[in-house]
Amino acid sequence: MESSARETSAQAQALINWDLAASTAARLTPPGPVLEPAEIAAAVANLRLMADRSVPYVHDITGLEAARDLRDSSVLVVDRASWARANTQSFAVMLKPAMEKMLEGHRGTLSPGAASVSGAITGSQLGAILAFLSSKVLGQYDPFSALAESSSAPAAGRLLLVAPNIISVERELNVEPEDFRLWVCLHEQTHRVQFAAAPWLRHHMLDEIENLSGLLLGNVDSLMERASAAAKSLKDRTAAGAAPSRGAILDLLQNPEEKEALSRLTALMSLLEGHANVVMDAVDASIVPSVKTIRQRFNSRDKDRGVIEKFVRSLLGLDAKMRQYSDGAKFVREVVAVAGMGGFNRVWESAGQLPTEAEIHDSKLWLDRMGL
């Protein structure tokens, strides 16, 4: 039985060639800003300093005692290729249960050779997506890295700061580098504190991702037909100038069970991103002297995106992610205005305290449910 389980696990991992995904991303990743070795070393050291400096501010703003001790996670300053490789490791953790379940449902119908070919194709495609994203992401808290096979990450995960992208954006916006780096770190360190304050959150999120991906992969027989319909819908909406609701990939989810799973995950991501944005926006000029200029210039960046980038962002649902930031931030601000930060912090007590998607859009529903 144990041997069979190991075999199923190995076959599941073969469905996506993770090493190929990482190498493809590294090959396709656009080059970052040109820097001298001394400039790179200085930027890395400064980002580490800003990451450390931001933590007390996160503690003061959130009131979460977890911000006092983050020793079970780490901060890494990485390049684009390293960010992509780190994400292949986390994706492998997140998707493994769903792929094992899919194999169980199709036992005997997928040969090792077919799985290998499928893994190479999927790995290449994932690598191309990661290459695109690798030049967009400023930072990311990865709570799943410690669960990856042969992982050397600390028990609670790691915070990744993507140095080339942070430097590119601060140059593009023509803002004070140290101020911008601290501003970015305030957002990313908040995610680190969220998972420290709610130790149950990592496995809760994994369960939600497993459920959602399992529903999608469980309908693999109709996946190509649904993918084709989603792509056509995206093309039609793009031509009409309409904004997609969630992105063509997530439009593959159609039945009520799938939509409910997506709704729960959307609510959770809206909460996490919105809370981090509230922390980032709570600082004033006494902490980040040029914060008003940074906010104004950063928020106007979307207007300058090209047609190809807008298409890819729609396909991946990245514009929907930006709406999660604003929807979640609105929820947090409304709750804090009524119940204070202490009342809001009840969301970190258990999964049952998390807001639903409906509550994200109507904070009074959550406040009433919590008796606040």
Side-chain angles (χ1 to χ4, degrees), residues 11-335:
Q11 288 176 338
Q13 292 297 84
L15 289 175
I16 299 178
N17 188 325
W18 300 107
D19 288 337
L20 181 59
S23 62
T24 299
R27 188 177 72 254
L28 298 179
T29 292
V34 178
L35 297 171
E36 295 296 328
E39 291 178 297
I40 296 173
V44 169
N46 187 249
L47 281 166
R48 289 187 181 282
L49 177 63
M50 292 303 104
D52 288 341
R53 186 176 294 175
S54 65
V55 176
Y57 297 128
V58 174
H59 175 260
D60 290 344
I61 295 168
T62 66
L64 292 171
E65 285 302 302
R68 290 191 185 276
D69 188 357
L70 296 172
R71 288 176 295 177
D72 59 349
S73 60
S74 63
V75 176
L76 297 178
V77 181
V78 299
D79 60 16
R80 292 169 174 176
S82 298
W83 175 86
R85 178 169 291 280
N87 272 268
T88 62
Q89 296 167 354
S90 293
F91 285 164
V93 171
M94 289 186 282
L95 295 179
K96 180 181 176 181
M99 290 192 293
E100 288 179 351
K101 189 180 296 184
M102 185 191 76
L103 279 177
E104 286 294 329
H106 293 78
R107 184 170 292 281
T109 64
L110 188 64
S111 69
S116 178
V117 172
S118 172
I121 294 172
T122 310
S124 296
Q125 292 171 336
L126 177 60
I129 292 172
L130 288 172
F132 172 81
L133 295 176
S134 70
S135 64
K136 312 298 176 188
V137 176
L138 300 181
Q140 173 190 355
Y141 184 66
D142 176 7
F144 307 124
S145 52
L147 304 178
E149 293 182 9
S150 304
S151 173
S152 59
R158 57 197 177 191
L159 172 61
L160 307 175
L161 297 173
V162 190
N165 298 345
I166 293 173
I167 293 170
S168 291
V169 174
E170 69 192 26
R171 288 180 173 182
E172 173 192 339
L173 301 182
N174 191 27
V175 293
E176 173 59 39
E178 194 161 287
D179 284 5
F180 183 71
R181 294 167 191 179
L182 178 57
W183 190 68
V184 169
C185 286
L186 285 163
H187 181 105
E188 302 306 336
Q189 288 285 38
T190 301
H191 289 314
R192 192 179 177 200
V193 169
Q194 290 165 347
F195 282 87
W200 51 268
L201 183 57
R202 174 168 64 175
H203 286 288
H204 173 73
M205 182 179 283
L206 270 180
D207 289 343
E208 293 292 353
I209 292 170
E210 176 186 346
N211 183 41
L212 179 60
S213 56
L215 289 168
L216 178 58
L217 294 176
N219 290 315
V220 69
D221 293 333
S222 62
L223 194 57
M224 292 307 295
E225 179 181 343
R226 299 164 80 191
S228 176
K232 182 180 184 301
S233 172
L234 175 65
K235 180 180 178 181
D236 292 345
R237 286 179 301 191
T238 302
S245 57
R246 300 186 192 273
I249 289 178
L250 293 182
D251 284 344
L252 295 174
L253 305 173
Q254 295 176 347
N255 68 43
E257 188 179 6
E258 292 170 343
K259 290 180 178 179
E260 176 58 30
L262 176 59
S263 177
R264 290 196 302 272
L265 195 55
T266 297
L268 176 56
M269 296 308 298
S270 295
L271 173 70
L272 299 181
E273 297 295 354
H275 180 235
N277 259 24
V278 166
V279 172
M280 187 167 65
D281 287 344
V283 301
D284 58 23
S286 67
I287 299 172
V288 181
S290 58
V291 66
K292 287 184 68 175
T293 300
I294 290 172
R295 285 191 192 121
Q296 182 181 34
R297 294 180 184 176
F298 188 83
N299 292 336
S300 66
R301 291 176 71 231
D302 285 353
K303 300 173 183 176
D304 300 325
R305 289 199 170 98
V307 174
I308 297 298
E309 182 174 346
K310 287 179 179 177
F311 179 84
V312 175
R313 290 179 66 85
S314 295
L315 179 66
L316 299 177
L318 297 184
D319 291 323
K321 180 177 175 61
M322 295 306 295
R323 286 194 293 278
Q324 287 176 7
Y325 282 56
S326 58
D327 292 345
K330 181 173 179 287
F331 169 83
V332 175
R333 291 189 180 100
E334 289 176 352
V335 169

